[in-house]
Amino acid sequence: MDTDEKKAGTSSGHDEIDFTSGYETQYRKEYSPLKPVYVPPPDKRNAWFRSWSTILLIVFLASVFLLGTVLLVVQVFTASALQVLIIVGAYVAIAALMIWLEVQSIKVR
């Protein structure tokens, strides 16, 4: 007699479910509450206000922003569209250059 025939002969009307396939453990792993991850506090020696290069970068970007805003407002009301486009282009180029420099300095750290 085959094992399938034995199982069929001893059936109690309910299907037998095999839970050894790993679904229960996978469910517990996926839906269990997450364990808290300890994030250490930042080192106070590396604060942005203690780094001269970061302070100078912020001052430079703020001054370029203010100067560009003033020039742009003045040029919009007094100059041609080409001059406004040149100012905006220079403005974006300086910002992109400074962002690129900051990304490179982070890679070096």
Side-chain angles (χ1 to χ4, degrees):
M1 208 172 171
D2 196 15
T3 48
D4 289 334
E5 293 172 0
K6 287 180 187 176
K7 285 183 180 179
T10 61
S11 176
S12 63
H14 297 289
D15 290 335
E16 292 184 19
I17 300 171
D18 182 21
F19 287 110
T20 60
S21 60
Y23 286 119
E24 286 183 337
T25 55
Q26 180 182 357
Y27 180 84
R28 268 190 241 113
K29 285 179 186 175
E30 289 182 8
Y31 296 104
S32 64
L34 296 176
K35 295 174 185 165
V37 177
Y38 174 72
V39 178
D43 190 8
K44 293 186 179 187
R45 291 176 290 160
N46 296 332
W48 68 268
F49 51 83
R50 295 182 191 229
S51 169
W52 277 106
S53 63
T54 307
I55 292 171
L56 291 175
L57 177 66
I58 291 171
V59 168
F60 175 74
L61 289 176
S63 62
V64 167
F65 179 75
L66 288 173
L67 178 68
T69 302
V70 170
L71 282 176
L72 191 58
V73 169
V74 169
Q75 291 294 321
V76 162
F77 293 112
T78 60
S80 68
L82 180 62
Q83 288 177 337
V84 172
L85 184 65
I86 290 171
I87 291 172
V88 170
Y91 201 59
V92 169
I94 290 172
L97 176 70
M98 296 311 288
I99 290 170
W100 182 80
L101 284 173
E102 186 65 21
V103 167
Q104 295 305 317
S105 71
I106 288 173
K107 287 181 181 177
V108 169
R109 286 184 215 163

